[in-house]
Structure formats: structure tokens, C-alpha cells
Amino acid sequence: MKKGLSSLLAAALPAAFAQGAAQVDMARLDYRLSARALAPGVFVVEGANADFSPANGCNIINTGFIATGAGVLVINTGPSKRYGEQLRALIAKTTGEPIVQVIHLNLHPDYFLGNQAFADVPRLATDATRAGMTREAKSYEDNLYRLCGDWMKGTEAVLPSGTVSLGPLRVGTRELVLREYRGHTDSDLVLIDKTSGVVFAGGLVFAQRIPTTPHAQLGAWLQSLQAFATLPVMTLVPSHGPVRADISAVAQTQRYLQWLDRSFRAMAEQGAEMNEVLRAEVPAEFRGWAAFGTEYTRNVAHLYPRYERAVLNRP
């Protein structure tokens, strides 16, 4: 039932993917980052709603920062040393406050490969995320170099320097809350700014983009989304996809994961091979989302073998 996993993954990593390409300056390797205020002192730096490519400098993540009056809290540092340097310059230009802390919401490469520019400040993550970054860092470096070339020059993983504390977090005048969920990865942090209602949802929620699944557990992820949906959210910042003034992206992510689970379970029961799964009909809503052409292929390669094993291992 299993065939061509490596070829499927290779096919899902093209040199370029045009949908949602960031307006970067490729000649100067300038990300042209800009900060958009979501509330007083709360900023998002939006990436392309697309797949990794040289055309966007591997910048497909929404990073953020919060000016607290006692310094800036940075949320994720981007995919490369160059991105981190440009992000730090943007923060200085925007706020005039020193950076006092970086928080990484999960273990994926664009959450921390900009850390070289923040090596002088505390960089915090959960213990599970720190362990995952340590385990995956070298492969992340290699993969993003292969995908984005010169944008990645000089990038070396600088790991978090400490473990974050969950629950209430006060920095300057800001009352924040850090909650841990799981399912997208083994540890999915969500940061809530209580004053503004802005929620940085990390990889738990995707907006108009096919979710990434290399570390996913769909059952746990769906349970986490059900709990997340009860939070008081005024503005939702997913790590990938457009910022929302509601929680509609939560329902989007739930619909997609539920469909994946039903579809993969039914096809495994029928004895379908992965190539047959890839040729099967996909709902039009999902086909219209960013990165469908590559990320869905990865979803199949990452997840479908588990459904096959479940059928084969039944007594």
C-alpha cells in the first residue's frame, strides 16, 4: 500500500510557488518588511501566504512584536539570519524600545532561524519545543538553503536560551497570557494580549492556507481547536495566512482536518495507494487555498501511512 514516499515529498518542493508571493527585492535580498499595527503597541509583520520559495525569500510566516513600555516582546524571528536582522531594524524604527524577550510558539524553522539577530536577549520556548528544535535544526538549515538559496546565506540555528513559563505574563504595562496546546506539533503556544484581544495563534490555526503536518496528530489538534475556539479573540494572527478580525480561520482549519481524517480513513479501508489518494477529488474550498499544490502532497505523505498501518495492524 505504500509507494513513492520520497518521490512524493520531492515533488512537493518546487523551486518557486507564485501564489501570494511577497513583494521582496530579490536583487538586494531585501524582505521589505513592514509592521502593521493591530492595536496600540501590537504589531504584525506579514509574510506571503504561499509556500517557501526564492520569490518570497522563504518568508511565509506572520511574526509580531508588542511594545510594553518596558521593552519589546518579539513573537518568532523568521526563516533566516537576514530576516532576523531586518526584523530587528524594523522593530527599532517602529518602537524605539529595547527588545527584552523573544518567544517561539513552536519548533518549525521560520519560528527561530532568525535568532542570530537576537542572540543578546532571552529567547524562550517550551521544553518540548526546545527539544524539537535541537533535534531538527540541522535538517531545517539544509532544507531552507535548498529551497531559498542566497536568502539563507550565513544562517545557523541559534536555539532558545530558556524555558517559557505558561499562564499569566506581565511585561511592562502589558497583561499577557501564554497557553499551550498540542496537535500541530507536540507543543503549540498561543499568546494572548488581554488589553487588545489580539491573539497570536501560532501554527494551531491556518487561514486560507493548507496546514503543514510534519509533526501533526489530527485528533489532538482538533481537540485543541475546540478549546481554542472558546477564547475571547478580537484579532486572530495565524502564523500562516491573513490576519482575521474573527475566529473564522479556526472553523476553516477544523473543516480541513476533519475532511483529511475522514478521507484518509475511508481510502485506507479501501486499500488505496498514496498515488490514488493524491488523484482523489478534493473539495473546491481547499483546492483554492494557498500552497494546495505542494502542501496537500506533503499532507498525504506525512499522514496517510498511519491510516494504512491502522488498517493493516487490526486483529
Side-chain angles (χ1 to χ4, degrees), residues 1-214:
M1 294 173 75
K2 302 174 200 172
K3 188 186 290 185
L5 176 58
S6 60
S7 62
L8 286 172
L9 286 169
L13 299 173
F17 187 74
Q19 183 176 357
Q23 298 302 306
V24 301
D25 184 336
M26 293 185 66
R28 299 175 57 202
L29 297 180
D30 183 353
Y31 284 103
R32 292 181 173 171
L33 301 180
S34 63
R36 179 159 70 96
L38 301 176
V42 183
F43 300 89
V44 63
V45 182
E46 291 157 294
N49 191 16
D51 202 356
F52 289 132
S53 79
N56 57 42
C58 276
N59 175 24
I60 63 171
I61 189 171
N62 300 324
T63 59
F65 57 95
I66 300 174
T68 71
V72 176
L73 176 70
V74 180
I75 302 134
N76 302 320
T77 61
S80 68
K81 175 178 181 284
R82 186 176 299 273
Y83 181 102
E85 292 168 347
Q86 293 179 19
L87 176 62
R88 186 152 190 173
L90 176 65
I91 293 169
K93 176 183 174 182
T94 305
T95 72
E97 294 185 18
I99 294 168
V100 295
Q101 192 174 121
V102 172
I103 292 180
H104 303 294
L105 300 183
N106 73 40
L107 62 85
H108 287 156
D110 42 358
Y111 288 61
F112 76 100
L113 284 183
N115 274 2
Q116 285 161 286
F118 299 90
D120 60 330
V121 297
R123 304 172 309 283
L124 306 180
T126 66
D127 284 336
T129 289
R130 295 179 69 188
M133 288 176 174
T134 300
R135 183 178 64 248
E136 305 276 2
K138 184 60 170 67
S139 65
Y140 287 161
E141 291 174 10
D142 292 345
N143 286 340
L144 265 66
Y145 268 106
R146 179 169 53 84
L147 289 169
C148 291
D150 286 350
W151 289 99
M152 301 300 299
K153 281 185 176 177
T155 299
E156 296 180 358
V158 173
L159 298 173
S161 59
T163 299
V164 73
S165 296
L166 302 177
L169 171 65
R170 185 177 180 90
V171 184
T173 61
R174 290 283 173 179
E175 297 280 353
L176 308 164
V177 178
L178 280 168
R179 294 196 180 186
E180 184 183 24
Y181 299 90
R182 61 181 300 271
H184 174 57
T185 72
D186 287 338
S187 178
D188 298 302
L189 273 186
V190 167
L191 186 144
I192 305 158
D193 178 50
K194 293 179 68 176
T195 301
S196 66
V198 175
V199 176
F200 289 87
L204 199 65
V205 179
F206 285 70
Q208 295 175 253
R209 196 220 191 256
I210 299 297
T212 59
T213 55

